[in-house]
Amino acid sequence: MTVQVLFAAKPERWLEYETPLNKALKNAGVDAHVSCDIPSADVDYIVYAPNSSVQDFSVFPKVKAVLSLWAGVETIAPNPTLNVPLARMVDHGLSQGMKEWVTGHVLRHHLGMDAHIANPNHRWEPIAPPLAEQRSVTVLGLGELGRVCAQTLAHLGFNVSGWSRSAKVIEGVHCFHGDAGLKAALDGAEIVVLLLPDTAATENVLNAERLSWLAKGAAIINPGRGPLVDDDALLAALDKGQVGHATLDVFRIEPLPQDHAFWAHPKVTVTPHIASETRAWTASQCIAENIRRGKACEPFLHLVDRDAGY
Ligand code: NAP
């Protein structure tokens, strides 16, 4: 029987996804009808972005799973009308994009590139940067994205530490976990990358006390989610020099309001939530594989633990 797949995302996304999604489903051997407009009583799967008009899942009596186009599910996981499995996006394009963005921004701070990109007084100061092995970088979050970023930085030679909820073993990375491991992970870090999900347990994980554990002048790079950082504590740490620079891609309110202090702060770089995005061709394969699994009564991939919130 033909599987009915509702594409529930911003209308412009459909233009990107229509061809790749149909092709990926065909390649996966799934007979499917994918559309933005299917009677709710007939829908088997929902391909979903939280900014779509669909917010009440109780109107889909037959739905078997909701397949998120986003890796971060903080606005979907708590939805009380959602009573079927929720899978999040794990996609090669997303991991590769994040690896490139994080590596680029780590290297910017490590090499001190800003001093040469903007040098209005033509100062000749031949100070070579240290080698990567003399630079400690900590990645908070060692999931799909944090792990590849930590591994890439370790391959470049950085002295990398990582932190997660459960214990991990990653070659070349000093792994710490749980509340007890956070101090060791952050102690003396010169660059911190945040790749944690936004949950009740991770809110303000970088607060004033934890910022004080870092090396003086440390750089913060946040492509995770805005609430991971206590904004006021970060601004205070920047102003007193405890933090040397913050590169922020995500914010509590997006777009970042024009009057927010981050825009004007000389030690803050704002990027507009572009660290990495789901790519239609690779993401469609992830979606198609989960629909194939659903049809074949096999376990879904990348299921969200609704209690943990990620
Ligand atoms: P993931 O695979 O779910 O990994 C999350 C990691 O965080 C895991 O290592 C997890 O530990 C750890 N973690 C969760 N709660 C924790 C806690 N309380 N204490 C310590 N560690 C904790 O997620 P992902 O795919 O790597 O994505 C991470 C986040 O990146 C997403 O949630 C999203 O917010 C963000 N993101 C941003 C962009 C962008 O463009 N800016 C793009 C994609 C994603 P365990 O391994 O022990 O479970």
Side-chain angles (χ1 to χ4, degrees):
M1 219 161 81
T2 304
V3 178
Q4 300 294 325
V5 181
L6 178 68
F7 187 84
K10 288 241 167 138
E12 57 269 27
R13 286 281 167 193
W14 178 237
L15 301 176
E16 281 171 54
Y17 275 88
E18 183 177 7
T19 302
L21 201 46
N22 277 298
K23 200 163 183 172
L25 284 160
K26 195 168 169 218
N27 289 344
V30 179
D31 173 17
H33 167 238
V34 194
S35 169
C36 300
D37 187 16
I38 296 176
S40 60
D42 298 338
V43 171
D44 292 306
Y45 293 92
I46 304 177
V47 177
Y48 188 69
N51 56 8
S52 88
S53 57
V54 172
Q55 298 298 326
D56 179 4
F57 294 98
S58 66
V59 300
F60 302 102
K62 275 175 56 189
V63 72
K64 290 153 193 76
V66 170
L67 310 172
S68 172
L69 288 169
W70 294 12
V73 290
E74 67 277 4
T75 57
I76 322 173
N79 188 323
T81 67
L82 179 57
N83 295 312
V84 294
L86 168 65
R88 59 188 207 92
M89 180 51 63
V90 173
D91 156 43
H92 162 73
L94 207 48
S95 310
Q96 179 63 25
M98 188 61 81
K99 187 164 88 172
E100 293 176 14
W101 188 91
V102 165
T103 305
H105 286 280
V106 166
L107 285 172
R108 168 192 173 191
H109 295 300
H110 167 61
L111 297 174
M113 289 180 180
D114 292 16
H116 308 267
I117 291 169
N119 187 5
N121 299 323
H122 303 178
R123 287 208 309 261
W124 182 268
E125 285 178 331
I127 303 167
L131 293 177
E133 65 211 49
Q134 295 163 306
R135 183 77 73 192
S136 54
V137 182
T138 293
V139 180
L140 299 185
L142 293 172
E144 295 294 333
L145 302 179
R147 190 182 60 245
V148 291
C149 291
Q151 283 171 324
T152 303
L153 295 169
H155 286 150
L156 278 173
F158 286 102
N159 179 14
V160 181
S161 296
W163 183 68
S164 52
R165 200 156 65 109
S166 56
K168 301 261 183 287
V169 177
I170 303 173
E171 199 186 334
V173 179
H174 311 284
C175 293
F176 300 93
H177 68 278
D179 292 347
L182 185 56
K183 174 107 172 40
L186 289 177
D187 204 21
E190 295 171 277
I191 300 176
V192 178
V193 179
L194 289 118
L195 276 167
L196 292 161
D198 173 12
T199 68
T202 61
E203 184 168 10
N204 290 330
V205 69
L206 271 196
N207 59 19
E209 183 191 6
R210 285 138 186 195
L211 288 167
S212 77
W213 296 344
L214 310 179
K216 192 162 176 62
I220 307 297
I221 299 176
N222 186 12
R225 282 292 183 263
L228 301 176
V229 178
D230 178 335
D231 290 356
D232 291 339
L234 176 60
L235 286 164
L238 284 160
D239 288 340
K240 66 174 195 249
Q242 170 58 15
V243 172
H245 198 97
T247 297
L248 308 173
D249 185 57
V250 285
F251 304 91
R252 285 166 195 268
I253 301 173
E254 294 182 7
L256 184 65
Q258 282 303 320
D259 60 354
H260 197 287
F262 286 153
W263 278 119
H265 201 290
K267 295 180 183 172
V268 175
T269 299
V270 170
T271 63
H273 201 145
I274 45 76
S276 188
E277 66 169 16
T278 310
R279 318 280 158 153
W281 282 97
T282 45
S284 293
Q285 289 161 30
C286 169
I287 300 280
E289 171 59 11
N290 256 343
I291 295 176
R292 185 200 68 73
R293 283 170 168 260
K295 258 204 112 183
C297 298
E298 293 174 21
F300 292 113
L301 297 174
H302 318 307
L303 285 179
V304 172
D305 174 343
R306 303 276 300 278
D307 292 331
Y310 71 99

